[in-house]
Amino acid sequence: MDGPQVWRCGGFALDLARPLVMGILNVTPDSFSDGGSYIDRDAAVTAAVRMLADGADVIDVGGESTRPGAEPVTAVQEAARVAGVIAALAEQGACVSVDTRHALVASEALSAGASIVNDVSGFTDPEMVRVAADSDAGLVVMHMRGEPRTMQEAPAYADVVAEVAEFLSRQAVALERAGVARDRIAIDPGIGFGKTTEHNLALLRRLPELEALGFPVLVGASRKRFIGEITGVVEPQARVAGSVAAALEAVRRGAAVVRVHDVAATVQALAMVRAVEEEAHAR
Ligand code: HH2
């Protein structure tokens, strides 16, 4: 099947001929103590520059932890955390994404130079749709069941893949109706957001059903709890191999973008897969 060729994100036309790597930059108090100060901004920017050098195509900047059980921060606090980092990276020519559920944060991030709005609540807030429609940014529509604080309390679906696909397709249509060009939209099953390990595995295995909706598919499995459950590796930082394997599987089943913490390891693994595929095409 011929999927989309480019993903239009502000001034960038991201080429989907090969899988894109989105590096995760958390500007949250647990990663960079008291976000917003210059020292922390510098530390965040240095980490992002490293990811770009390692081969990241996009840097996803987040100022709110959406880990299961995390307490929400105010939109004003969140915007203050991310805006300076985004401005510094955009100034260096990076394609920057903002990971937020709040229209105010998205709007300030776009003013600071972000090219993508990554909304884990899937553009369910009309205000967020308005911000998106008034911009030329790329958009990531993610599926989440419930709220971060409560989403892991016994999530249940009749058919998780069908329900996620239905939601993503409905939200994409709503964005298009609001005036967003189709080639700006990417979709994401939201691995770990109101899903059990079995749900996450079903979504990964049946990713072609999401790809069939005709939008680039983004997958964020990196270091997530289901990898720990499957492998018994407790420390998230030690789940690199499991995360790389999940990223490769996602790409093999149609993901156009993988959202990862371990950029260098993922880029290296994708290069090997690509080399083997190119050998097959050279025949
Ligand atoms: N996962 C997290 C945050 N944002 N965005 C998209 N599009 N897809 C994802 O799977 C996704 C996301 C997980 O967030 P958190 O638990 O805060 O940790 P981290 O940002 O380090 O992954």
Side-chain angles (χ1 to χ4, degrees):
M1 194 191 64
D2 282 340
Q5 306 296 303
V6 293
W7 180 22
R8 294 203 186 273
C9 304
F12 296 85
L14 300 176
D15 183 358
L16 300 173
R18 57 173 81 181
L20 300 174
V21 174
M22 174 185 266
I24 300 168
L25 187 68
N26 286 315
V27 193
T28 47
D30 29 352
S31 41
F32 299 101
S33 55
D34 70 72
S37 82
Y38 279 105
I39 293 168
D40 294 331
R41 187 174 304 177
D42 284 352
V45 171
T46 302
V49 167
R50 181 63 206 260
M51 288 194 276
L52 291 166
D54 286 340
D57 300 284
V58 178
I59 301 294
D60 189 38
V61 181
E64 177 198 28
S65 177
T66 45
R67 280 210 174 78
E71 287 299 329
V73 293
T74 71
V76 173
Q77 282 172 318
E78 190 189 334
R81 284 177 187 169
V82 299
V85 175
I86 291 171
L89 292 173
E91 221 162 83
Q92 297 189 27
C95 182
V96 185
S97 151
V98 62
D99 184 346
T100 187
R101 301 185 282 153
H102 303 116
L104 171 84
V105 180
S107 168
E108 295 206 6
L110 291 170
S111 302
S115 301
I116 298 172
V117 177
N118 171 23
D119 180 5
V120 297
S121 57
F123 294 87
T124 46
D125 173 2
E127 211 28 62
M128 195 60 138
V129 174
R130 213 169 355 254
V131 170
D134 285 346
S135 79
D136 61 355
L139 309 175
V140 181
V141 182
M142 199 197 81
H143 175 274
M144 165 162 64
R145 168 67 64 85
E147 280 278 303
R149 214 157 29 80
T150 54
M151 66 191 179
Q152 288 306 103
E153 291 165 9
Y157 303 82
D159 178 341
V160 66
V161 181
E163 287 174 46
V164 166
E166 212 255 329
F167 170 85
L168 294 175
S169 138
R170 192 171 59 232
Q171 294 309 105
V173 167
L175 283 167
E176 286 189 79
R177 287 213 180 109
V180 173
R182 190 177 173 86
D183 61 3
R184 289 171 47 200
I185 302 172
I187 56 173
D188 180 340
I191 298 294
F193 284 85
K195 283 128 193 152
T196 63
T197 291
E198 288 68 33
H199 295 144
N200 293 326
L201 292 173
L203 285 162
L204 285 174
R205 183 175 63 79
R206 291 168 57 192
L207 214 53
E209 293 173 42
L210 300 184
E211 192 195 6
L213 297 175
F215 298 95
V217 177
L218 186 151
V219 170
S222 186
R223 297 188 185 175
K224 281 186 179 164
R225 192 162 69 183
F226 81 120
I227 297 177
E229 267 175 30
I230 291 164
T231 61
V233 178
V234 177
E235 273 302 308
Q237 291 88 332
R239 295 177 187 155
V240 181
S243 301
V244 170
L248 295 187
E249 271 305 301
V251 165
R252 195 163 73 87
R253 293 165 194 269
V257 190
V258 285
R259 179 183 181 276
V260 305
H261 299 88
D262 303 291
V263 171
T266 308
V267 167
Q268 186 183 112
L270 286 170
M272 288 311 296
V273 171
R274 185 176 169 82
V276 174
E277 266 159 21
E278 281 177 352
E279 195 280 338
H281 290 139
R283 283 169 180 277

